[in-house]
């Protein structure tokens, strides 16, 4: 069942998502060669709690940390560790927060120092695919119009979408219905309705779409070792017009 949110509930979700956006912005500015992913995790937890919010991922199915930090060929759910970032790496930062019983969820991929144009293009196309998907999240469309927008843009760039992980409805639970795949034929699935809140999260590989999960039972990596990028926003469908991006960051928007 898809749980529609009232305007008052959406305001609370906007608050949770704003916390996520602010903290992601703080963490992304600390990304540099030599910093460890544990350092980034500690910063994220401190900044979430300083805002009176609760980290959403810590303890979720025994996930041990506040942040997911996925470096290079890691697709999603990289567990922060003593690993130090190196110039030329890319890192996906995925963060969730709970405010007033509601979740916010967002992710960005950032470069560590200078990266090649080829790598920058992967990151750019992934972010573009998120915004193209959000444009489709309007009343009158169906869910796979959103999915299709991701797939079309990603594949036209010569990249692959990950199919084993999907976006999701979000509310009092981190993961609610519907699932939001990043692929599919347009015009299928549930109708987009006012009051739906969705976390749309394209995961895009430079090589093939296959992924596998490491021994730690969390970290998803590309099967072929190619690089992968991930962006995510929590959005609320409006009665008319474009969706409201609840996790919009002040800086660095397309
Ligand atoms: N944004 C991811 C998701 O929606 C992050 C979840 S990490 C977890 O699935 F630890 F909470 F599972
Ligand atoms: Co998510």
């Amino acid at each position: 069942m898809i749980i529609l949110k009232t305007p008052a509930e959406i305001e609370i979700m906007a608050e949770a998502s704003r916390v996520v956006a602010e903290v992601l912005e703080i963490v992304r500015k600390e990304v540099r060669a030599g910093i460890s992913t544990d350092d980034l995790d500690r910063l994220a937890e401190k900044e979430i709690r300083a805002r009176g919010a609760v980290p959403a991922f810590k303890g979720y199915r025994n996930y041990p940390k506040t942040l997911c930090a996925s470096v290079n060929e890691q697709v999603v759910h990289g567990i922060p560790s003593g690993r130090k970032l190196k110039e030329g790496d890319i890192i996906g930062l995925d963060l969730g927060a709970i405010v007033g019983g509601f979740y916010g969820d967002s992710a960005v991929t950032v470069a560590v120092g200078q990266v090649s144009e080829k790598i920058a293009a992967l990151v750019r196309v992934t972010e573009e695919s998120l915004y193209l998907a959000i444009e489709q999240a309007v009343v009158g469309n169906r869910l796979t119009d959103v999915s299709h927008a991701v797939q079309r843009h990603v594949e036209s760039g010569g990249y692959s979408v990950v199919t084993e992980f999907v976006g999701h409805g979000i509310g009092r639970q981190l993961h609610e219905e519907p699932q939001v795949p990043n692929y599919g034929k347009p015009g299928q699935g549930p109708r987009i309705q006012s009051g739906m809140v969705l976390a749309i999260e394209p995961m895009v590989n430079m090589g093939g779409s296959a992924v596998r999960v490491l021994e730690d039972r969390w970290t998803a990596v590309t099967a072929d070792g190619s690089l992968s990028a991930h962006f995510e926003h929590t959005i609320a469908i409006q009665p008319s017009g474009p969706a409201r991006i609840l996790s919009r960051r002040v800086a660095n928007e397309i």
Side-chain angles (χ1 to χ4, degrees):
M1 190 189 57
I2 298 174
I3 303 169
L4 300 179
K5 279 77 188 179
T6 66
E9 289 172 333
I10 289 174
E11 291 312 316
I12 303 171
M13 296 196 70
E15 188 56 35
S17 299
R18 191 173 63 86
V19 169
V20 172
E22 285 179 5
V23 176
L24 267 184
E25 197 55 30
I26 290 169
V27 173
R28 77 192 306 282
K29 286 190 184 134
E30 292 305 313
V31 167
R32 60 177 65 100
I35 198 165
S36 76
T37 54
D38 259 342
D39 293 334
L40 299 175
D41 179 71
R42 275 189 292 270
L43 176 63
E45 178 163 4
K46 179 178 79 124
E47 294 291 340
I48 284 182
R49 295 197 191 279
R51 287 164 175 73
V54 175
F57 301 164
K58 202 171 193 172
Y60 178 85
R61 299 185 175 208
N62 292 324
Y63 186 75
K65 303 276 174 152
T66 292
L67 186 70
C68 296
S70 307
V71 181
N72 295 338
E73 79 289 351
Q74 297 177 352
V75 178
V76 285
H77 304 163
I79 302 175
S81 70
R83 176 179 183 163
K84 287 189 173 156
L85 298 178
K86 297 198 308 284
E87 172 95 14
D89 285 343
I90 55 172
I91 179 170
L93 305 168
D94 189 349
L95 193 65
I98 309 170
V99 171
F102 284 91
Y103 284 80
D105 187 9
S106 184
V108 290
T109 296
V110 295
V112 183
Q114 287 292 114
V115 297
S116 69
E117 176 49 34
K118 193 176 171 209
I119 295 172
L122 168 74
V123 175
R124 188 165 62 238
V125 168
T126 306
E127 186 169 27
E128 286 167 357
S129 77
L130 171 59
Y131 287 95
L132 290 167
I134 293 170
E135 278 178 24
Q136 294 300 316
V138 292
V139 170
N141 277 356
R142 286 183 182 265
L143 191 71
T144 64
D145 294 322
V146 173
S147 308
H148 182 74
V150 174
Q151 182 175 29
R152 185 184 138 100
H153 189 62
V154 165
E155 292 182 353
S156 74
Y159 309 107
S160 321
V161 291
V162 172
T163 58
E164 281 182 50
F165 298 97
V166 294
H168 49 95
I170 178 168
R172 288 187 188 274
Q173 309 277 349
L174 177 59
H175 298 131
E176 295 184 357
E177 287 180 30
Q179 293 197 355
V180 185
N182 294 303
Y183 60 93
K185 280 193 227 152
Q188 299 182 341
R191 288 182 192 283
I192 303 286
Q193 287 177 69
S194 178
M196 277 186 177
V197 183
L198 302 174
I200 303 178
E201 48 180 318
M203 289 149 264
V204 176
N205 298 347
M206 187 90 87
S209 70
V211 301
R212 66 187 175 86
V213 176
L214 298 185
E215 290 281 89
D216 65 19
R217 298 170 58 113
W218 278 105
T219 314
V221 298
T222 58
D224 59 12
S226 68
L227 294 178
S228 188
H230 177 216
F231 282 84
E232 177 175 19
H233 269 312
T234 296
I235 67 163
I237 311 308
Q238 302 297 104
S240 66
R244 175 173 168 197
I245 303 177
L246 302 182
S247 55
R248 188 180 276 285
R249 279 163 283 122
V250 278
N252 195 51
E253 290 297 337
I254 286 176

